[in-house]
């Protein structure tokens, strides 16, 4: 047990701030003294007789004005809000403290003041944290402290499991209330991915008491409608957010032009959070999220063909399907990604004990569809790459305050992960002379794996004095995946606060980082021998976990005098002075990390999917410098970092490297490809609410980033030129004239400029270890947004009568909206004329959807309901597959380019505000099928088919009030198997398709009351 030096830091800080702030924040009140004296009776006086007078009517004292329904609801919600906030605070400070680690936080106000506001991508938001710098999407979007990946995400203290694609493409910025980066020598409760922990706290429904809807877009054909909504219903605090985005710059442009070639992306994301109080000290929390992304892979013009330098038979030019050349601007590669996650957690506080138990699940898949001819002509291989992972696990965290000096914490986790890998590689055989024979064929490289992880930790937070805190403990992790491995990891840290405004920390952590399961497998030796995809070197050894020692020392210093906290007891002048009181903070943090079996990743093929390998040893050193200034609405942050990371000797997945590269790296310490020596970021924002009436509601901001350049050249021997990027933003909030919008709540308009100087810079130039293609930073772009708040600013809904139980009558007409995703199981059969026989391939279509529903319910019994509902869902569902034989390649693309329409009957079981139902009926859609033979050289055919079928679904719906309800629903749509085209590209040719659609959605309904 060596890892306990840092947990009481928060408690110590709280005590210190209370002692310092107390005299300045509150006034000492003298006790009120009442002196009673003996009273003498006054002498009797003669009273003159008077005529009776009309009695004077004395008006009764005025009664306070009755509360409005919104004010009454706000008062009713207040205990729920306070208890929820108390449990949030205990979760963050008692169960999951950050003692001894290096932390940096952006709160809700900071996030909303950034250029692009809630529409900024998580990957761009991360660049505002110290030691974090950008990379291409194919390389994971960003790096923390010169590490590749190795980033952990937590939402409200709960760990999110790994997927095949990063969370930066899945998480939606608009649901974030605050975001904290934790680095350094982490306490024992933080394991596995330890380069950095992004600890995200969601917005709460209580804070919103309503929401927002809007649209954002601009350059590169970007359009992005979105919504957020939250509130308090009974004992439940809830929040939801959704966004759809379509853009012509989905991935980084490989050329320096303003617009990319073949780079359209469509993405949909949804998030929901609930926190339900079971009693004063207990709650149940749910978190759900899903994301659907479709990317065109941007093209790099003028690329040479036949990168392997093969010759054809007898010295003829190299060819594939008869093509000796291919214009790289016309390559048609696409990638599809699906992600969904769910968390259910139970949190309880009893006396000196806090605990949280959680169940978590995540499904994630990635499917890269190549251009069969373009890739084979250009790269000598066309790889159809599919990866998926399904994780389910439980975790527990417990804290016990033993006495004033010791707080004991312990916890555990265990999960099971089922991963699938299916790489279908189209290659050409080699003859005995090493010449490529133009008879392409497929090699399947596939693997399914059920793996397990289990671990536990224990630590003690020891408050040695009021100024010095130690945190020490042990952590154990065990994996059963492609390799079995474990480690016992000590952690220890000290936090010292000698006086107000100064915090020093020093820590040590032993870390254990296994590879993600889908990346933990090497390609079997011999699989591609005597083909155009034969590896230059054989694989020796497995991909194994990284083991490291981390040392971290830092100081945070407040420069200006302590500001008084704003309290209700202050006068207006005192509150104004406290709000405008300036604060200035500097921080320095230095770290050293030595690793064995360093895990690194790279893009070693056309797919935007990483492949892992190990270096034998690595050393990573660096320092970070932070500055924060606040005065009223003015905020300024600036961060700088310097770092160097070197490694030597590749000990796994050697097939990715040439023998010469392997020999050089084995005898030299080289820079890793993601090593950047100098990184900088800055942010400034101001709001004019308190100074200029004419600019009330106006906010301006600017951000900037700087990088000295990532590595390039043979064996990462050089670095790219340095770069900078400056972004500007402005927003204005105003109350709209009556009848201009759907309500009278405030409207916000915003204007942002990304890369205002239009600085053209390279993120990657296509050379270096694990770097497949060049990527440029974004060119100058102009973006506009308009949004309006929803709901009452003081309450989540009108107050319900409390004299009698609320009666929920479901009978009547309703209308609503929904948002979600669609996953299509589709098969396309082509033949026999084109391919010499019928061939069937899965299309694996997917996309986002959103639309409206209209229906009528009839509650014919206390617990039974019947109804009918019509629904229209516009969708971005699209799929693509390739059919290959030795003479030609045919591509089939399906595009649900309009919508799904359904008309269904519903039968439901009613339990007060809860309705559980099933539905069944008819379904209709229009699908566009496009066939392309030999890269369109041998023809293209397009068929628009109106398809009809049936649907069955089930769902739950909950009345939030008498008029409003929320629902979650699953529907299955079957359009059967049909021949939709004949003689399309050749006489006797058929196109037969089978389409089955799975839809998952969430929505709201408005019910007309009788």
């Amino acid at each position: 047990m060596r890892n306990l030096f840092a947990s009481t830091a928060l408690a110590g800080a709280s005590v210190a701030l209370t002692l310092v702030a107390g005299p300045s924040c509150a006034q000492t009140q003298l006790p009120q003294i009442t002196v009673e004296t003996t009273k003498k009776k006054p002498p009797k006086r003669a009273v003159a007789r008077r005529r009776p007078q009309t009695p004077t009517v004395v008006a009764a004292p005025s009664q306070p004005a009755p509360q409005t329904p919104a004010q009454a609801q706000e008062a009713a919600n207040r205990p729920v809000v306070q208890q929820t906030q108390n449990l949030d605070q205990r979760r963050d400070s008692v169960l999951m403290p950050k003692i001894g680690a290096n932390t940096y936080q952006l709160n809700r106000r900071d996030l909303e003041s950034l250029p692009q506001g809630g529409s900024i991508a998580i990957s761009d938001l991360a660049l505002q944290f110290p030691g974090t710098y950008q990379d291409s999407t194919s390389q994971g979007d960003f790096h923390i402290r010169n590490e590749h990946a190795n980033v952990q995400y937590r939402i409200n203290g709960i760990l999110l499991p790994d997927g095949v694609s990063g969370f930066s493409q899945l998480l939606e910025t608009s649901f974030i209330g605050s975001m904290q980066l934790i680095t350094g020598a982490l306490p024992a409760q933080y394991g596995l991915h330890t380069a950095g922990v992004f600890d995200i706290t969601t917005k709460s429904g209580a804070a919103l008491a309503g929401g927002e809807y809007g649209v954002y877009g601009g350059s590169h054909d970007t359009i992005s409608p979105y919504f957020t909504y939250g509130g308090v219903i009974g004992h439940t605090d809830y929040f939801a957010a959704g966004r759809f985005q379509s853009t012509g710059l989905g991935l980084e442009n490989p050329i320096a032009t303003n617009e990319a070639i073949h780079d359209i992306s469509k993405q949909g994301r949804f998030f929901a959070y609930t926190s339900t109080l079971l009693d004063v000290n207990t709650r149940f929390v749910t978190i759900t999220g899903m994301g659907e992304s479709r990317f065109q892979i941007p093209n790099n013009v003028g690329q040479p063909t036949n990168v392997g330098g093969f010759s054809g038979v007898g010295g003829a030019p190299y060819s594939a399907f008869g093509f000796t050349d291919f214009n790289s601007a016309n390559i048609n590669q696409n990638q599809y990604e699906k992600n969904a996650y769910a968390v259910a957690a139970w949190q309880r506080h009893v006396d000196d004990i806090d605990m949280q138990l959680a169940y978590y699940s995540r499904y994630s898949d990635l499917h890269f569809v190549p251009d069969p001819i373009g890739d084979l002509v250009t790269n000598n291989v066309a790889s159809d790459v599919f990866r998926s992972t399904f994780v389910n696990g439980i975790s527990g965290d417990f804290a016990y305050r033993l006495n004033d000096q010791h707080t004991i914490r312990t916890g555990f986790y265990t999960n099971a992960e089922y991963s699938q890998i299916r790489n279908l590689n189209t290659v050409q055989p080699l003859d005995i002379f090493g010449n490529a024979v133009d008879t392409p064929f497929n090699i399947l490289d596939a693997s399914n794996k059920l793996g397990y992880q289990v671990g536990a930790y224990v630590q003690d937070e020891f408050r040695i004095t009021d100024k010095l805190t130690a945190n020490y403990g042990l952590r154990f992790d065990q994996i059963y995946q492609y390799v079995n491995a474990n480690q016992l990891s000590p952690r220890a840290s000290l936090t010292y606060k000698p006086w107000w405004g100064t915090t020093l920390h020093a820590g040590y952590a032993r870390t254990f980082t296994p590879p993600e399961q889908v990346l933990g497998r090497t390609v079997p030796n011999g699989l591609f021998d005597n083909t155009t995809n034969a590896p230059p070197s054989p694989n020796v050894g497995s991909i194994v976990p990284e083991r490291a020692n981390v040392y971290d020392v830092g100081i945070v210093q407040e420069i200006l005098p302590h500001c008084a906290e704003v309290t209700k007891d202050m006068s207006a002048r005192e509150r104004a002075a406290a709000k405008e009181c300036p604060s200035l903070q500097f921080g320095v943090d230095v770290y050293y990390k030595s690793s064995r079996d360093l895990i690194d990743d790279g893009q070693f093929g056309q797919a935007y999917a990483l492949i892992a390998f190990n270096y034998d040893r690595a050393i990573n050193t660096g320092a970070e410098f932070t500055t924060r200034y606040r005065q009223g609405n003015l905020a300024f942050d600036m961060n700088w970092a310097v770092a160097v990371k070197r490694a030597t000797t590749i000990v796994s997945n050697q097939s990715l490297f040439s023998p010469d590269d392997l020999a050089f790296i084995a005898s030299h310490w080289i820079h890793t490809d993601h090593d950047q020596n100098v990184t900088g970021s800055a942010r400034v924002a101001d709001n004019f609410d308190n100074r200029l009436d004419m600019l009330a509601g106006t906010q301006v901001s600017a951000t900037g980033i700087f990088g000295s350049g990532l590595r390039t050249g043979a064996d990462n021997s050089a670095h790219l030129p340095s770069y900078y990027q400056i972004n500007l933003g402005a927003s204005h909030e105003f109350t709209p004239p009556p009848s201009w919008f759907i309500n009278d709540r405030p409207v916000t308009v915003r204007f942002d400029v990304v890369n205002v100087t239009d600085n053209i810079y390279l993120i990657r130039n296509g050379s270096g270890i694990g770097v497949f293609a060049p990527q440029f930073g974004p060119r100058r772009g102009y973006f506009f947004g308009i949004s309006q708040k929803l709901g009452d600013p003081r309450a989540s809904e009108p107050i319900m009568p409390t004299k009698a139980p609320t009666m929920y009558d479901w009978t009547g007409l309703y209308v609503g909206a929904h948002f979600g995703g669609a996953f299509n199981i589709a098969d396309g059969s082509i033949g026999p004329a084109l391919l010499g026989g019928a061939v069937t391939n899965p299309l694996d279509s997917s996309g986002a959807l959103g639309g409206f529903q209209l229906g009528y319910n009839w509650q014919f019994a206390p617990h039974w309901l019947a109804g009918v509902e019509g629904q229209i869902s516009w969708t971005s569902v699209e799929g693509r597959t390739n059919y290959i034989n030795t003479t030609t390649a045919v591509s089939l693309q399906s595009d649900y380019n309009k919508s799904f329409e359904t008309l269904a009957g519903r039968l439901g079981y009613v339990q007060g505000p809860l309705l559980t139902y099933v539905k069944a009926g008819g379904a209709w859609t229009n699908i566009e099928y496009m066939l392309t033979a030999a890269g369109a050289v041998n023809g293209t055919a397009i068929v628009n088919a109106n398809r009809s079928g049936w649907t069955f679904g089930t769902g739950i719906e909950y009345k939030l009030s008498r008029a409003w309800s929320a629902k979650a629903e699953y529907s299955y749509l079957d359009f059967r198997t049909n021949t939709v085209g004949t003689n399309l590209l050749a006489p006797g040719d058929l196109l037969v398709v089978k389409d089955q659609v799975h839809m998952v959605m969430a929505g709201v309904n408005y019910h007309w009351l009788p």
Side-chain angles (χ1 to χ4, degrees):
M1 293 187 44
R2 295 192 185 181
N3 186 333
L4 188 94
F5 283 69
S7 276
T8 312
L10 293 177
S14 177
V15 173
L17 289 175
T18 302
L19 292 175
V20 175
S24 60
C25 296
Q27 296 178 354
T28 303
Q29 296 183 355
L30 297 176
Q32 183 177 358
I33 301 174
T34 302
V35 179
E36 294 186 359
T37 60
T38 303
K39 297 181 180 179
K40 296 181 180 180
K41 295 182 180 181
K44 293 183 178 180
R45 294 185 298 174
V47 179
R49 294 180 177 270
R50 298 180 181 179
R51 287 180 301 173
Q53 296 181 354
T54 303
T56 302
V57 177
V58 180
S62 60
Q63 299 293 326
Q67 286 184 323
T68 65
Q71 291 171 335
Q73 184 67 46
E74 181 186 18
N77 289 343
R78 194 171 296 121
V80 177
V81 173
Q82 292 174 345
Q83 293 161 16
T84 299
Q85 291 174 344
N86 290 339
L87 288 170
D88 286 343
Q89 185 178 14
R90 297 201 67 84
R91 177 198 64 213
D92 295 336
S93 61
V94 179
L95 278 173
M96 307 297 294
K98 291 80 179 175
I99 304 170
N102 190 43
T103 61
Y104 189 90
Q105 180 172 318
L106 295 177
N107 59 30
R108 179 180 175 182
R109 189 172 181 179
D110 296 330
L111 298 175
E112 292 177 346
S113 67
L114 291 170
Q116 300 188 283
S119 296
I120 190 173
I122 286 282
S123 54
D124 293 329
L125 172 60
L127 303 183
Q128 294 304 310
F129 289 84
T132 305
Y133 55 92
Q134 69 176 335
D135 202 342
S136 63
T137 301
S138 63
Q139 298 286 337
D141 291 312
F142 60 84
H143 303 286
I144 298 175
R145 291 193 165 188
N146 274 0
E147 300 273 2
H148 200 300
N150 198 16
V151 178
Q152 180 181 144
Y153 290 85
R154 288 177 178 259
I155 293 182
N156 293 341
I158 300 171
L159 174 67
L160 296 182
D162 292 329
V164 296
S165 58
F167 272 101
S168 62
Q169 295 294 329
L170 172 61
L171 297 179
E172 167 59 31
T173 312
S174 60
F175 79 77
I176 298 176
S178 66
M179 186 169 175
Q180 186 175 49
L181 176 61
I182 311 167
T183 55
L186 302 181
Q189 67 262 38
Y190 300 102
L192 303 183
H193 297 306
T194 53
V197 179
F198 274 121
D199 191 12
I200 295 170
T201 300
T202 63
K203 293 178 180 177
S204 68
L208 292 173
E212 182 181 46
Y213 72 98
V215 63
Y216 187 78
S219 296
H220 317 298
D221 298 323
T222 300
I223 185 72
S224 179
Y226 62 91
F227 78 92
T228 63
Y229 199 85
V232 177
I233 299 293
H235 291 156
T236 299
D237 182 306
Y238 69 93
F239 175 75
R243 179 183 298 272
F244 173 79
Q245 177 173 302
S246 176
T247 179
L249 189 65
L251 300 171
E252 291 85 359
N253 195 347
I255 54 180
T257 57
N258 192 58
E259 303 295 337
I261 301 173
H262 190 264
D263 199 13
I264 295 175
S265 171
K266 295 182 179 180
Q267 304 173 50
R269 293 186 288 270
F270 175 79
F271 173 85
Y273 168 80
T274 68
S275 172
T276 302
L277 288 174
L278 305 180
D279 57 46
V280 175
N281 296 314
T282 311
R283 69 172 170 179
F284 181 74
V285 173
T286 66
I287 299 172
T288 56
M290 59 182 297
E292 184 77 26
S293 302
R294 185 175 74 225
F295 299 99
Q296 292 180 336
I297 307 301
N299 293 335
N300 190 4
V301 298
Q303 293 301 292
T305 59
N306 187 22
V307 295
F310 294 99
S311 297
V313 176
Y318 170 83
S319 65
F321 298 109
F323 292 86
T324 58
D325 195 13
F326 198 95
N327 185 352
S328 60
N330 297 327
I331 290 178
N332 185 16
Q333 301 169 334
N334 295 268
Q335 186 156 306
Y336 307 88
E337 298 179 7
K338 295 192 290 287
N339 288 275
Y341 61 92
V343 175
W346 176 83
Q347 182 187 350
R348 182 166 175 77
H349 162 63
V350 181
D351 297 328
D352 292 326
I353 299 175
D354 286 84
M355 63 192 78
Q356 178 169 274
L357 296 173
Y359 163 79
Y360 53 87
S361 178
R362 179 180 181 181
Y363 174 81
S364 175
D365 72 34
L366 175 154
H367 185 197
F368 172 82
V369 182
D371 186 314
I373 296 178
D375 284 343
L376 195 57
V377 172
T378 303
N379 301 306
N380 309 120
V381 60
S383 298
D384 187 299
V385 177
F386 177 82
R387 297 175 180 175
S388 72
T389 178
F390 185 39
V391 182
N392 287 274
I394 58 174
S395 64
D397 297 283
F398 309 88
Y400 174 55
R401 190 167 185 258
L402 186 63
N403 52 43
D404 290 341
Q405 285 188 301
H406 294 274
T407 299
I408 308 299
R409 295 183 177 88
T410 186
F412 72 93
Y413 75 96
T414 180
N415 63 60
E417 177 179 5
Y418 182 72
S419 59
Q420 293 180 295
I421 300 172
R422 190 195 70 220
N423 300 329
L424 186 64
N425 304 277
T426 303
V427 297
Q428 299 198 90
L430 303 180
D431 63 18
I432 59 174
F433 302 105
N435 298 317
V437 181
D438 193 355
T439 56
F441 70 103
N442 294 326
I443 295 177
L444 178 63
D445 175 23
S447 174
N448 298 336
K449 183 68 176 178
L450 178 61
Y452 301 91
Q453 291 182 341
V454 62
Y457 70 89
V458 61
Q459 62 182 357
D460 176 27
E461 176 189 342
F462 179 21
R463 187 173 182 181
I464 302 170
T465 69
D466 289 342
K467 298 180 179 180
L468 181 63
T469 300
N471 193 44
Y472 53 92
L474 285 172
R475 179 182 182 90
F476 177 79
D477 296 282
Q478 171 77 58
I479 64 167
Y480 303 95
Q481 297 176 338
Y482 285 103
V483 297
N484 298 337
N486 60 61
Q487 180 173 289
L488 187 65
S489 306
R491 308 277 181 93
S493 66
L494 283 171
T495 302
Y496 180 52
K497 297 184 176 182
W499 45 76
W500 177 87
T502 301
T503 302
L504 299 100
H505 69 265
Y508 163 78
R510 176 75 171 163
T511 63
F512 175 81
T513 305
E516 296 177 17
Q517 184 164 292
V518 290
L519 302 182
R521 171 184 173 270
T522 59
V523 177
N525 288 324
L527 188 63
F528 294 100
D529 287 354
N530 301 314
T531 71
T532 51
N533 194 39
S537 306
N539 285 326
V540 179
S542 302
I543 302 173
V544 296
E546 175 185 331
R547 305 168 192 268
N549 297 301
V550 178
Y551 306 87
D552 187 272
V553 178
I555 181 173
V556 176
Q557 179 64 57
E558 297 283 352
I559 304 300
L560 300 179
H562 178 60
C563 294
E565 295 183 6
V566 179
T567 66
K568 294 181 179 180
D569 299 331
M570 288 182 171
S571 65
R573 177 177 295 181
E574 289 172 331
R575 280 197 297 270
K579 288 181 180 179
E580 293 296 324
C581 178
S583 65
L584 178 61
Q585 180 188 93
F586 291 108
V588 179
D589 195 85
V590 180
Y591 61 90
Y592 174 88
K593 180 179 180 180
S594 61
S595 304
R596 293 300 305 265
D597 298 315
L598 171 72
I599 296 176
D600 203 352
D601 305 312
Q603 182 191 4
F604 292 91
Q606 306 98 314
Y608 274 51
L610 297 174
I611 300 176
F613 62 94
N614 291 103
Y615 287 100
D616 178 41
R617 289 173 293 162
I619 293 177
N620 184 16
T621 58
E624 296 168 353
F625 309 90
T626 62
T627 302
R628 309 198 85 167
Y629 178 77
R630 299 289 187 272
Q631 183 174 13
N633 291 327
L634 176 64
F636 172 75
D637 295 337
M638 184 169 63
N639 308 305
W640 288 97
V642 293
V644 176
K645 187 171 186 179
R646 296 176 183 267
T648 185
T649 312
I650 293 173
V651 292
S652 65
N653 247 345
Q654 295 90 343
S655 62
L656 304 171
F657 306 90
S658 69
D660 290 342
D661 286 337
L662 290 173
F664 182 86
I665 298 171
S667 59
H668 294 79
W669 285 77
I670 68 167
H671 293 272
T672 57
D673 70 283
H674 44 83
D675 178 28
Q676 180 166 277
N677 295 135
V678 181
T679 299
S681 66
R683 179 183 75 90
V684 62
D686 198 5
N687 190 311
F688 297 102
D689 279 351
N690 298 331
R691 295 190 296 278
L692 299 173
D693 289 341
M694 62 179 297
L695 293 178
T698 300
Q699 183 171 263
V700 294
S701 61
T703 60
I705 58 173
F706 172 85
S708 60
L710 295 170
R711 307 306 298 186
T712 185
D715 303 312
N716 303 330
S717 56
H719 66 82
L720 292 169
S722 61
Y723 65 88
Y724 69 90
Q725 179 181 315
I726 299 173
N727 312 308
L728 301 179
S731 65
H732 179 69
E733 183 180 276
F734 65 96
T735 300
S739 303
W740 277 35
F741 293 87
I742 66 173
N743 60 45
D744 59 355
R745 295 297 311 282
V747 171
T748 300
V749 292
R750 67 175 309 117
F751 173 62
D752 303 298
V753 184
V754 173
N755 194 359
V756 65
T757 64
D758 200 22
N759 181 36
I760 301 174
Y761 64 92
L762 273 166
I763 301 175
R764 296 284 191 175
N765 70 349
S767 68
I769 294 175
V771 181
F772 184 78
Q775 286 98 16
F776 282 82
R779 297 290 301 273
R780 181 166 52 217
Y782 302 96
F783 299 91
F784 307 84
I786 183 169
S787 63
Q788 184 183 29
K789 288 183 169 57
L790 295 169
D792 192 292
R794 296 162 300 177
S796 59
E797 63 170 68
I799 185 69
M800 296 290 186
T802 57
K803 295 181 181 179
T806 302
M807 301 301 294
Y808 294 96
D809 185 1
W810 289 84
T811 297
L813 188 69
Y814 64 89
V815 65
H818 60 268
F819 180 85
F823 315 101
N824 179 255
I825 300 175
D827 289 332
S829 299
I830 296 180
L834 280 171
L835 300 172
V839 178
T840 301
N841 276 359
L843 278 160
D844 190 34
S845 306
S846 60
L849 61 83
F852 303 96
Q853 63 270 1
L854 174 69
Y856 185 86
N857 291 325
W858 174 44
Q859 189 171 342
F860 59 87
H863 293 290
W864 291 98
L865 173 151
V868 62
E869 181 180 87
Q871 179 174 285
I872 181 169
S873 304
W874 290 276
T875 177
S876 64
V877 173
E878 180 185 288
R880 188 168 179 265
T881 190
N882 296 316
Y883 306 84
I884 296 171
N885 68 5
T886 57
T887 59
T888 190
V890 178
S891 296
L892 172 62
Q893 179 173 307
S894 66
D895 187 355
Y896 295 71
N897 55 1
K898 293 184 179 179
S899 61
F900 297 114
E901 298 96 27
T902 62
L903 180 63
R906 297 206 308 173
L907 179 65
Y909 183 75
V910 176
Q911 293 174 289
L914 179 65
L915 168 66
T916 305
Y917 64 88
V918 294
K919 58 185 291 188
W924 298 266
T925 189
N926 176 275
I927 310 175
E928 179 183 274
Y929 302 96
M930 183 170 67
L931 275 171
T932 304
V937 174
N938 292 343
T940 297
I942 297 177
V943 179
N944 271 289
N946 290 314
R947 307 289 303 280
S948 62
W950 57 272
T951 181
F952 176 83
T954 183
I956 58 173
E957 190 169 351
Y958 189 86
K959 281 243 182 177
L960 304 175
S961 67
R962 293 183 62 206
W964 287 95
S965 64
K967 71 170 187 174
E969 181 180 295
Y970 163 80
S971 293
Y972 171 79
L973 286 66
D974 193 325
F975 296 103
R976 301 184 293 271
T977 300
N978 289 306
T979 299
V980 298
T982 60
N983 304 322
L984 296 175
L985 295 176
D989 183 47
L990 301 174
L991 173 59
V992 181
V993 292
K994 179 182 74 173
D995 290 281
Q996 299 169 330
V997 180
H998 300 267
M999 297 197 308
V1000 180
M1001 66 188 75
V1004 294
N1005 286 322
Y1006 177 79
H1007 301 256
W1008 274 274
L1009 301 176

